[in-house]
Amino acid sequence: MKNTILIVGAGFAGSVVARELAEAGHRLLVIDRRPHIAGNAYDEYDAYGVLIHRYGPHLFHTNAECIFQWLSRFTDWHDYEHRVLAEVDGQRLPIPINRSTLNRLYGLDLDEAGVVAYLEQVHEPRDPIRTSEDVVLNSVGHDLCEKFFRGYTRKQWGLDLSELSAGVAARIPTRSNDDDRYFTDVFQALPKDGYTRLFERMLDHPNISVRLNTDYAAIRGQLKPRHTVYTGPIDAYFDYRFGKLPYRSLRFEHEHLSDTEWFQPVGTVNYPNDHAYTRITEFKHATGQTHPGTSIVREYPQAEGDPYYPIPRPENEARYQQYKALAEAEPGVTFVGRLAQYRYYNMDQVVGAALKSAEMIKERLNND
Ligand code: FAD
Ligand code: UDP
């Protein structure tokens, strides 16, 4: 192990750093406690032959051409623009809220200027904007907040909008036009042969070894790596010294419908006000696969279980900052990724953070 760099976690953060360092001539051991690579982006064919995302829908989108190009070394792409409907008052309406959402919900016939004027009238100006409630009330006002955001957020996070930082709800814009795409990024696509295949190619390098079903906690005392890159939860690394950092979890209920070619009209339908699940995703919309049946997933938020989401609110950020100070003082270890940096990162942001970390590690090892 003396000259080997240890990477804890085979998701985007760990695998991108591994590839970059391998190409710079370093030897790497990548471990993951799960029985597979690709982290939460893992996809697989289910028992019926439909390509599904085991840990919920993963739609790649970015405005960063360099990140898209970097990943393109390991995959071709299937172009896909995600669309989402929210079931509200017995109708399925576009979310993000757009012109058609308002016209159909309220039986109006507004043009774009009419939408701007309508929102101007109903919105509740907030200054400063600190919480997710401020964001939503400031842009769409009370009624739309209750119908589209309050219930969904309560289910997803177990918290009120007012208890979450502004960045959570700020992910969802409001539009006066008819654009019904969930994302407006320049690059929107899924890896043509799936995420797992992309990761297989990324990790396929003579300098990289991968060991699955291996928990860092079980081996950390035994190894003496030249450097460690840790992408798991930061509080676990430090044995919860400052208390647990809350991460929100989900239970995924996968289902295959063999006699149904299409279950719903778009990739995802959100249920802000009904049911224990937040949303249902039908994978074939996103992957473009042809199949006589279809596979869907329902997401049930929960407090316990695998950590999926950092929970952005000031008290958690304060605790994270305590851990971050320890991390910065930890010799020979780099912390990167959604769990290790406690950031509500999308995949492209994790790739960006990992490329940056790899550059820093290369420089540091060259100066050793
Ligand atoms: P992870 O993918 O979580 O990888 C970390 C890995 O470390 C895991 O495999 C874990 O098993 C391993 N690990 C942790 N601790 C240990 C240990 N002690 N020992 C060994 N291994 C360990 N992003 C988008 O851009 N678009 C989307 O549409 C999208 N949808 C999402 C939907 C859901 C339901 C979720 C949960 C996330 C979604 N994301 C999406 C975010 C995306 O999943 C993350 O940005 C990305 O996967 C984070 O990569 P990572 O490597 O930081 O973490
Ligand atoms: N949100 C909501 N209603 C919706 C969609 C989103 O209230 O119909 C809020 C909710 O708080 C959610 C956040 O906006 O957690 C971010 O939504 P996004 O779809 O980006 O969540 P993710 O895909 O990361 O789970």
Side-chain angles (χ1 to χ4, degrees):
M1 236 6 241
K2 224 172 87 227
N3 288 316
T4 302
I5 295 165
L6 174 66
I7 310 259
V8 181
F12 267 109
S15 301
V16 168
V17 174
R19 181 70 192 206
E20 279 287 299
L21 296 183
E23 287 179 1
H26 299 287
R27 284 232 304 275
L28 287 302
L29 171 62
V30 180
I31 64 164
D32 203 297
R33 61 183 170 199
R34 288 171 168 166
H36 59 73
I37 57 172
N40 288 336
Y42 179 72
D43 57 12
E44 62 185 336
Y45 286 90
D46 66 13
Y48 310 92
V50 179
L51 183 58
I52 62 157
H53 300 173
R54 187 187 287 184
Y55 304 100
H58 277 71
L59 299 321
F60 185 81
H61 57 100
T62 191
N63 281 318
E65 182 168 7
C66 55
I67 287 171
F68 188 74
Q69 293 305 345
W70 193 89
L71 291 172
S72 300
R73 297 173 50 203
F74 311 107
T75 189
D76 290 331
W77 299 93
H78 163 69
D79 288 339
Y80 171 68
E81 294 186 316
H82 194 47
R83 285 181 169 76
V84 180
L85 297 172
E87 197 164 284
V88 170
D89 291 353
Q91 293 195 72
R92 286 180 174 180
L93 303 168
I95 177 90
I97 290 170
N98 68 8
R99 187 175 82 99
S100 146
T101 312
L102 290 186
N103 282 337
R104 288 175 51 202
L105 180 67
Y106 296 124
L108 300 170
D109 188 21
L110 303 170
D111 60 11
E112 278 198 52
V115 171
V116 174
Y118 182 87
L119 293 174
E120 186 57 33
Q121 199 190 320
V122 298
H123 87 133
E124 296 176 17
R126 293 275 170 134
D127 186 19
I129 291 185
R130 285 208 189 89
T131 71
S132 278
E133 182 181 55
D134 294 333
V135 169
V136 177
L137 290 177
N138 189 64
S139 50
V140 298
H142 174 79
D143 195 51
L144 292 164
C145 176
E146 298 306 309
K147 286 182 156 70
F148 289 86
F149 290 93
R150 180 100 48 203
Y152 188 104
T153 300
R154 163 69 58 190
K155 247 194 289 188
Q156 170 70 13
W157 301 97
L159 294 169
D160 187 66
L161 275 168
S162 60
E163 298 173 291
L164 285 160
S165 299
V168 176
R171 290 167 63 89
I172 315 297
T174 309
R175 303 190 182 124
S176 55
N177 60 20
D178 285 324
D179 191 346
D180 63 349
R181 296 172 304 161
Y182 207 60
F183 311 111
T184 50
D185 300 53
V186 178
F187 302 98
Q188 303 189 39
L190 266 68
K192 201 166 209 151
D193 307 316
Y195 289 96
T196 304
R197 191 75 194 94
L198 182 165
F199 276 81
E200 282 167 4
R201 295 193 190 111
M202 206 183 334
L203 293 168
D204 180 15
H205 189 283
N207 285 347
I208 301 179
S209 311
V210 178
R211 207 185 292 165
L212 300 174
N213 301 303
T214 305
D215 196 319
Y216 181 57
I219 59 160
R220 75 190 278 183
Q222 303 158 22
L223 305 175
K224 296 271 172 287
R226 187 170 175 212
H227 191 87
T228 298
V229 177
Y230 180 83
T231 75
I234 189 168
D235 58 347
Y237 181 94
F238 291 107
D239 213 11
Y240 311 102
R241 194 177 309 175
F242 302 122
K244 278 201 161 188
L245 268 177
Y247 292 89
R248 192 69 172 159
S249 190
L250 296 170
R251 177 170 66 83
F252 300 101
E253 185 182 86
H254 286 275
E255 187 181 353
H256 180 76
L257 303 151
S258 51
D259 296 330
T260 307
E261 191 177 0
W262 293 105
F263 175 76
Q264 60 191 28
V266 291
T268 297
V269 177
N270 286 357
Y271 295 87
N273 306 309
D274 309 300
H275 309 295
Y277 47 84
T278 48
R279 58 187 178 189
I280 300 183
T281 296
E282 182 175 21
F283 293 105
K284 288 199 306 178
H285 287 285
T287 59
Q289 189 181 355
T290 309
H291 194 286
T294 195
S295 293
I296 60 174
V297 66
R298 294 180 178 83
E299 294 172 55
Y300 294 84
Q302 56 187 30
E304 299 305 320
D306 276 0
Y308 293 128
Y309 292 83
I311 305 182
R313 55 190 310 221
E315 65 206 65
N316 299 346
E317 177 63 18
R319 184 167 292 179
Y320 165 66
Q321 288 299 332
Q322 289 183 289
Y323 281 115
K324 187 175 173 220
L326 286 185
E328 280 167 359
E330 186 76 354
V333 185
T334 301
F335 294 79
V336 61
R338 177 148 147 151
L339 306 172
Q341 295 180 281
Y342 205 67
R343 285 284 168 270
Y344 192 173
Y345 276 153
N346 293 325
M347 292 181 279
D348 64 322
Q349 296 170 302
V350 172
V351 173
L355 289 172
K356 212 163 116 192
S357 287
E359 281 314 303
M360 280 157 52
I361 296 166
K362 279 186 228 171
E363 211 164 288
R364 207 153 122 189
L365 295 178
N366 280 343
N367 295 334
D368 269 0

